Amino acid sequence: MTRTSKKFFSRLLMLCFVISLTACSARVADLTLVSTKNIDLTDAKLDANKGARYKGEDCKFMLFSLIPLGLPNIETAIDKALEAGHGNIMVDQVTEISAYWVVVGTMQCISAEGTVLNTQSK
């Protein structure tokens, strides 16, 4: 192997390493009230100060950045946040989507974070 080709491969390897450290994230939505459950809000009084903020995330892997092994789902992310907060409704919810490189592909994630409340049925 010539010195030029060794230099080329070392630079190519370094470039691949630098690219593998990159990530991207974007805010997709800000929602005032969201739930994945059927809830009767006829007499519900919601007080966001009574709840705590929780985050749910759904991630899927894309092999070689071309072959998806599933698609991340916002409903799953919201359900995970609701389960973590033991509630059935979320207020002031923020949705973000992100992707980052791993050695043989990319990981794509959708996260939902908000104040989780539990509406009481009468």
Side-chain angles (χ1 to χ4, degrees):
M1 194 178 255
T2 66
R3 185 175 200 165
T4 307
S5 61
K6 284 183 182 180
K7 199 177 210 182
F8 172 76
F9 284 117
S10 66
R11 287 184 180 172
L12 182 63
L13 184 62
M14 184 177 283
L15 178 66
C16 290
F17 178 73
V18 169
I19 288 174
S20 71
L21 296 177
T22 61
C24 180
S25 178
R27 191 176 205 146
V28 178
D30 293 318
L31 305 173
T32 304
L33 182 72
V34 65
S35 181
T36 58
K37 319 284 189 243
N38 290 328
I39 300 170
D40 183 17
L41 294 176
T42 307
D43 295 325
K45 293 183 179 178
L46 302 175
D47 185 6
N49 295 327
K50 292 184 179 179
R53 291 191 70 79
Y54 289 92
K55 184 175 183 177
E57 190 172 57
D58 187 35
C59 297
K60 300 296 184 220
F61 185 71
M62 187 175 272
L63 189 63
F64 302 118
S65 300
L66 296 172
I67 304 167
L69 301 179
L71 296 173
N73 188 332
I74 185 65
E75 185 176 2
T76 304
I78 292 171
D79 281 338
K80 287 181 180 181
L82 291 174
E83 289 170 10
H86 304 292
N88 58 3
I89 198 164
M90 194 183 316
V91 296
D92 302 328
Q93 189 262 343
V94 176
T95 303
E96 291 184 348
I97 188 167
S98 60
Y100 56 92
W101 288 81
V102 290
V103 177
V104 292
T106 58
M107 184 67 75
Q108 297 179 339
C109 298
I110 291 181
S111 66
E113 181 180 0
T115 303
V116 176
L117 303 172
N118 194 358
T119 59
Q120 300 297 326
S121 307
K122 292 184 180 182

